[in-house]
Amino acid sequence: MNEILQWGIDVIIDIQQIRTPYSDCFFKAITTLGSGYIYYIVLPVIFWCANSTLSARFILILFFSLWVNSEFKTILQQPRPYNLDPSVKIGATGGPGLPSGHAQGSLVFWGYLSFWINKKWFYILSSIIILLIAFSRLYLGVHFPTDILGGWILGFLILFLFYKYINGIEKWVNSLTVRQKIMFAFFIPTLLSLIIPTKWSIHPMAFIAGFGIGYIIERNSIKFDRAVNISKKFIRAIIGLSGLAALYFGLNCIVPISSSFFSLLFVYILHFILGFWTSLGAPWVFIKLRL
């Protein structure tokens, strides 16, 4: 066994010395805060109820981060700690381990949110959450310390590059015609998803493609207003998330998938629709309902 991986298992065993039934429940709850499914709930709500440009950027950077993480996992193919030592397994997950998607995603999510809110207390809160999520992955035996470090490095790099270049990219995109913007929004993420096509690399790029096209149409036609009271925002969240859930579970039930090609195609179509619903479908419904 690789010496670094063995060292990582030793660290996990030491951490698990604090194990109790209560700590198991606590860290399983904490680790859900870094789950990709959380982003599918929180980010659309932020988009429907907050600043459109900043929330659109938020969705772009988070789902781009998910794609980057998937590509690195597929390339590196590093085992999980419990693949080498089953005794450390507390949590359940699958796929390669390096880099940690929870560590990377939580750093990008809470890091971006901290820059957005820009309050000292929130920086402290975000740092605590990021550290707790990372620690939970070690405690549960699903990641090596090096997985966490790799996720953090990628997360910092994505945040840095995003803030360095996003204004220039947006300026260039805004110079395009609406038709060119739609083509750009569709082809770039779609081509990226095909570099190493797996369900985990396709779904974030498909969501970005659907979201981007819907966002361009929304900005140029219905011009959705987010300046509403808290009760309307709450109703928006309920209706919007219900729509997302209905689309996700409904399409998964009615579309039979057998071969890998059609499975990946369905993953693309499904998440494209989810992105399109988030940026255009739900806002259109809100307008019709006077929300």
Side-chain angles (χ1 to χ4, degrees):
M1 186 186 301
N2 185 292
E3 290 184 4
I4 295 178
L5 298 186
Q6 181 57 61
W7 167 79
I9 289 176
D10 293 339
V11 170
I12 293 169
I13 291 173
D14 288 341
I15 289 173
Q16 291 181 347
Q17 298 304 308
I18 68 171
R19 186 179 181 186
T20 67
Y22 299 107
S23 61
D24 281 4
C25 292
F26 175 75
F27 285 115
K28 285 179 180 179
I30 287 294
T31 208
T32 60
L33 295 176
S35 169
Y37 294 107
I38 293 295
Y39 307 141
Y40 275 91
I41 297 172
V42 176
L43 292 178
V45 173
I46 292 175
F47 178 75
W48 298 325
C49 302
N51 179 285
S52 62
T53 301
L54 289 177
S55 53
R57 287 182 173 187
F58 205 174
I59 287 174
L60 176 62
I61 189 174
L62 249 297
F63 281 86
F64 177 76
S65 175
L66 291 176
W67 173 77
V68 170
N69 185 266
S70 171
E71 298 294 279
F72 273 88
K73 281 183 185 291
T74 304
I75 292 170
L76 297 174
Q77 288 294 315
Q78 178 168 288
R80 302 273 182 173
Y82 56 74
N83 295 138
L84 304 180
D85 185 350
S87 69
V88 303
K89 184 176 182 179
I90 300 175
T93 190
L98 177 66
S100 166
H102 279 65
Q104 180 180 330
S106 62
L107 190 144
V108 172
F109 179 88
W110 292 99
Y112 183 94
L113 203 55
S114 295
F115 293 144
W116 186 349
I117 295 175
N118 197 26
K119 299 290 185 181
K120 182 178 179 179
W121 67 267
F122 197 84
Y123 280 109
I124 296 172
L125 175 64
S126 295
S127 299
I128 293 171
I129 292 173
I130 291 168
L131 291 172
L132 278 174
I133 290 173
F135 187 82
S136 75
R137 304 307 281 172
L138 299 175
Y139 175 91
L140 296 173
V142 296
H143 276 301
F144 294 100
T146 46
D147 298 347
I148 303 298
L149 180 60
W152 280 346
I153 290 172
L154 278 178
F156 274 119
L157 184 61
I158 288 170
L159 280 172
F160 171 77
L161 293 176
F162 186 82
Y163 275 96
K164 183 175 179 63
Y165 295 109
I166 188 60
N167 289 329
I169 292 173
E170 283 188 353
K171 183 178 180 180
W172 175 77
V173 170
N174 289 333
S175 69
L176 303 176
T177 65
V178 172
R179 185 175 181 179
Q180 289 172 331
K181 289 177 183 177
I182 290 175
M183 292 178 63
F184 179 81
F186 174 74
F187 283 109
I188 296 302
T190 300
L191 290 174
L192 288 176
S193 73
L194 296 175
I195 293 177
I196 306 178
T198 66
K199 67 180 268 188
W200 302 112
S201 65
I202 286 176
H203 81 76
M205 287 294 107
F207 189 94
I208 287 178
F211 176 87
I213 291 173
Y215 182 67
I216 292 164
I217 296 172
E218 182 265 312
R219 292 294 297 269
N220 288 274
S221 56
I222 67 174
K223 301 186 184 300
F224 175 56
D225 183 14
R226 290 162 178 80
V228 296
N229 59 45
I230 191 67
S231 61
K232 286 188 175 182
K233 289 182 178 181
F234 179 77
I235 297 172
R236 284 180 180 181
I238 297 299
I239 293 174
L241 291 177
S242 297
L244 277 176
L247 287 168
Y248 181 82
F249 293 109
L251 290 174
N252 269 298
C253 288
I254 66 175
V255 180
I257 301 300
S258 54
S259 71
S260 59
F261 171 78
F262 286 106
S263 177
L264 294 179
L265 179 61
F266 173 65
V267 168
Y268 182 92
I269 294 172
L270 170 61
H271 288 85
F272 182 96
I273 292 172
L274 296 180
F276 193 79
W277 165 261
T278 298
S279 59
L280 183 61
W284 181 83
V285 171
F286 300 154
I287 289 173
K288 292 300 180 181
L289 296 177
R290 299 181 184 276
L291 294 173

